[in-house]
Amino acid sequence: MADFAAIYRAEARPVLATLIRLLGGFDLAEEALHDAWLAALDQWPREGVPRNPRSWLVSTGRFKAIDKLRRKARFDRSQDELILRMDVPDEPFEVEPQTIVDDQLRLIFTCCHPALAPDAQVALTLREIAGLTTEDIAAAYLTKPTTIAQRIVRAKAKIRDARIPYEVPEPAELADRLETVLHVLYLIFNAGYSAPSGLVPLRTDLSSEAIRLMRLVNDLIDEPDAKGLLALMLLNDARRDARLDVAGELVPLDEQDRARWNRPQIDEGAALVAQIFAERRLGAYSIQAAIAAEHGQSATAEATDWQRIVSLYDLLLRLEPSPIVDLNRAVAVAMAHGPEVGLAIVDRIDADGSLSQFHLLHATRADLLRRAGRTHEARTAYAEAIALSQQEAERRFLQRRLNGLPS
Amino acid sequence: MRYLCLVCFDGNELNTIDAETWKQCQVDSAAYDEKLLRSGHMVHAEALQSIETATTVRVRNGKLSATDGPFAETKEQVAGFILIEAADLNEAIRIAGGIPLARIGSVEVRPVMDFKSGLG
């Protein structure tokens, strides 16, 4: 007996993407997918799973939807035009694998359309493309399911009413629109990689889904920074298993067991970085990936080429000046030239004031003070970082560091 | 499908624009209207007089009141509109992005409600 649940998990989202294009709307397509699946559950156990379940589901779903519309049209003249527009052959058809991929990509661009609110872009992408439930999304973003549901309903209404097309933008607009897509996928990855707050530090399903979608984008669009973001995701995700110890506590980079890093994934990410640097079209994601590759390829924390990491941060700062990048650079400088040099930079950033409520500023200062042997000041800084951190695992980590200071 | 492109300005910023830029914008605007007309995207366009000329009308409990000023007191003022015909929002955004005044102010793109199609 075939594993129907597994088939559904693998096929539901791609099939939905194609149905949305064919039927021209989310609601109709979702209903169609549901009807097709009910038909499959009825037919497949008796007749066997079709050779190409994906095509079968698309054909059946489309047929069911149109059948429904025809029946409705008998009562409502206005449906005529819709059915005419669909121009349907009734016989089943084969769906090319490439069509499915293209449809998913179209759907990603639709869900990440800049005319939708940023919150709605994320929620819609997670719901429609990744197939997460509203409850899952709410849990990942610490929001109520009703809020997420509302966002999705509003976004779908705008797509329908303002007529946001299901299409990959034309080349002239692609760069702009791709930026939004990359940003949304990056947010999704990060929600899985380091949940901003809450009890669970990792949501690996979100990271894995973001990586899958990034591969999809890269298969169709040759854009250096898209490659860079994929590399960044692969390299960060490769350290996933080593970031938590057996008790589920956070382990900092320099203390991680590097044998537990995912080597093939690091190699894949590093190869992408090498490709991008050879093409010499660097974006912010690519530079961050290069930094991650530097870490990933070092045998130990001490063997890391910190000077090169500092140079990469310099490059990143020129491209996208931000106090957070500046803060990360300070950490690398401290590794290359000692904690006091790093502290001077952190103090300069702190004086600017924009990060004064950011727990990582205080955590960074605390760590540098600790390494500089300035125990008393480190104590105060750790306490500040703990007070500002929103995430339990991180708070516990900082508390352990605070407890470990010599008295 | 029809979209209304509402051209809005920040009144204060408008005063800081030099005469040459302003003149160029007028010339470009006329040319762009002409272009949209030829491509079949133009339905209708008008520039509006300043908000000092605006009067807001309400009827409450059957009583009409007319008050001085625009409906909403904001920094942004509606200065004109272009009603366009576009296939979808992406085309509408493309057209709105070409409006020369978008370089000075902003353009709000609103789909026009279609009561005939019954698809909504």
Side-chain angles (χ1 to χ4, degrees):
Chain A
M1 158 116 180
D3 184 355
F4 289 151
I7 296 179
Y8 186 78
R9 270 199 305 278
E11 304 300 338
R13 299 339 281 181
V15 166
L16 182 70
T18 296
L19 284 172
I20 287 172
R21 174 177 57 84
L22 290 173
L23 299 169
F26 282 93
D27 295 339
L28 209 52
E30 270 158 26
E31 236 175 89
L33 172 67
H34 180 74
D35 290 345
W37 187 244
L38 285 183
L41 286 180
D42 174 56
Q43 233 169 295
W44 293 0
R46 284 185 280 115
E47 298 167 15
V49 176
R51 192 177 46 80
N52 184 344
R54 198 170 267 192
S55 283
W56 191 95
L57 287 168
V58 171
S59 288
T60 308
R62 188 193 201 201
F63 177 76
K64 297 254 174 207
I66 288 159
D67 197 42
K68 225 177 224 174
L69 286 175
R70 281 203 182 114
R71 267 180 285 137
K72 246 198 229 158
R74 272 184 233 143
F75 303 101
D76 180 359
R77 292 268 99 203
S78 69
Q79 301 285 339
D80 282 355
E81 187 209 1
L82 183 61
I83 293 163
L84 269 176
R85 257 199 315 158
M86 290 187 181
D87 179 28
V88 228
D90 276 350
E91 67 276 8
F93 54 95
E94 289 281 306
V95 184
E96 299 288 326
Q98 190 56 44
T99 308
I100 288 274
V101 177
D102 291 348
D103 282 337
Q104 279 193 288
L105 197 66
R106 279 186 201 106
L107 192 54
I108 292 176
F109 274 97
T110 308
C111 293
C112 299
H113 198 281
L116 301 173
D119 283 349
Q121 292 171 10
V122 172
L124 200 60
T125 306
L126 287 173
R127 178 78 197 91
E128 300 304 319
I129 301 159
L132 262 61
T133 64
T134 18
E135 285 74 18
D136 282 341
I137 302 168
Y141 286 93
L142 301 166
T143 320
K144 282 185 293 188
T146 47
T147 311
I148 298 288
Q150 264 170 10
R151 265 181 217 163
I152 292 175
V153 167
R154 261 192 235 123
K156 281 184 186 170
K158 182 158 188 186
I159 290 172
R160 186 192 62 215
D161 298 339
R163 207 177 283 173
I164 291 176
Y166 302 99
E167 64 174 30
V168 174
E170 293 177 10
E173 287 152 11
L174 190 61
D176 268 4
R177 299 286 165 87
L178 186 62
E179 214 171 287
T180 316
V181 168
L182 296 186
H183 182 67
V184 168
L185 295 185
Y186 187 51
L187 284 178
I188 292 173
F189 178 83
N190 276 340
Y193 184 69
S194 53
S197 51
L199 299 169
V200 193
L202 298 181
R203 285 286 314 260
T204 53
D205 50 345
L206 288 183
S207 319
S208 305
E209 186 57 23
I211 290 175
R212 184 183 79 83
L213 298 175
M214 263 323 294
R215 285 191 192 281
L216 211 62
V217 170
N218 267 289
D219 282 347
L220 278 124
I221 295 164
D222 180 27
E223 181 64 39
D225 223 26
K227 233 184 254 173
L229 182 53
L230 176 61
L232 180 62
M233 287 178 177
L234 289 169
L235 287 158
N236 281 345
D237 187 66
R239 299 201 293 262
R240 185 166 80 188
D241 291 344
R243 289 179 73 224
L244 297 182
D245 65 13
V246 280
E249 300 294 334
L250 284 174
V251 183
L253 181 64
D254 55 343
E255 289 171 21
Q256 286 172 15
D257 175 2
R258 294 183 182 220
R260 294 179 66 195
W261 288 0
N262 183 336
R263 281 294 143 198
Q265 211 169 302
I266 288 177
D267 292 344
E268 189 189 350
L272 280 171
V273 169
Q275 250 180 61
I276 300 160
F277 274 66
E279 288 171 25
R280 297 191 171 279
R281 283 162 61 201
L282 298 184
Y285 294 124
S286 309
I287 298 168
Q288 291 178 71
I291 294 168
E294 213 47 60
H295 288 303
Q297 292 177 303
S298 306
T300 62
E302 295 72 37
T304 309
D305 185 350
W306 290 104
Q307 193 48 57
R308 174 163 160 77
I309 291 181
V310 172
S311 321
L312 287 167
Y313 274 121
D314 288 340
L315 204 58
L316 189 56
L317 265 180
R318 270 216 301 278
L319 207 66
E320 267 184 11
S322 101
I324 292 185
V325 174
D326 211 3
L327 185 64
N328 286 322
R329 180 180 170 276
V331 175
V333 170
M335 292 304 287
H337 304 290
E340 294 287 356
V341 189
L343 274 169
I345 302 173
V346 175
D347 285 341
R348 172 175 56 73
I349 299 168
D350 195 18
D352 168 57
S354 61
L355 291 188
S356 59
Q357 294 303 303
F358 185 51
H359 67 282
L360 287 182
L361 175 93
H362 301 282
T364 304
R365 160 174 294 131
D367 195 52
L368 296 180
L369 287 166
R370 176 181 63 84
R371 277 157 46 197
R374 291 157 65 176
T375 311
H376 185 68
E377 291 162 90
R379 213 178 288 282
T380 319
Y382 275 120
E384 253 174 295
I386 291 167
L388 289 170
S389 172
Q390 298 287 313
Q391 205 207 335
E392 285 303 326
E394 205 166 60
R395 277 221 285 265
R396 286 197 303 272
F397 169 76
L398 293 166
Q399 188 64 51
R400 281 201 308 280
R401 275 284 153 92
L402 176 58
N403 297 343
L405 286 175
S407 47
Chain B
M1 182 165 174
R2 288 182 172 189
Y3 294 84
L4 182 65
C5 302
L6 283 163
V7 180
C8 308
F9 289 127
D10 180 327
N12 299 327
E13 266 174 40
L14 209 56
N15 295 331
T16 65
I17 292 161
D18 63 276
E20 193 52 40
T21 311
W22 189 240
K23 215 177 110 191
Q24 189 58 50
C25 209
Q26 309 273 19
V27 174
D28 292 348
S29 295
Y32 194 63
D33 284 359
E34 182 63 32
K35 188 181 156 200
L36 290 183
L37 206 58
R38 276 200 307 272
S39 63
H41 289 107
M42 170 70 77
V43 180
H44 190 70
E46 299 285 358
L48 301 178
Q49 293 197 33
S50 74
I51 54 161
E52 282 80 39
T53 65
T55 305
T56 301
V57 175
R58 291 183 179 83
V59 178
R60 296 287 180 274
N61 301 322
K63 254 185 72 182
L64 183 141
S65 78
T67 49
D68 176 46
F71 165 67
E73 287 287 353
T74 58
K75 278 207 310 194
E76 295 262 294
Q77 305 164 2
V78 178
F81 65 85
I82 306 182
L83 183 62
I84 59 166
E85 183 72 47
D88 53 43
L89 184 65
N90 281 2
E91 193 182 29
I93 289 173
R94 247 187 324 270
I95 292 169
I99 295 174
L101 292 166
R103 296 198 295 260
I104 297 171
S106 52
V107 180
E108 179 177 325
V109 179
R110 291 272 293 274
V112 172
M113 190 98 80
D114 182 358
F115 291 104
K116 288 192 301 290
S117 82
L119 292 175

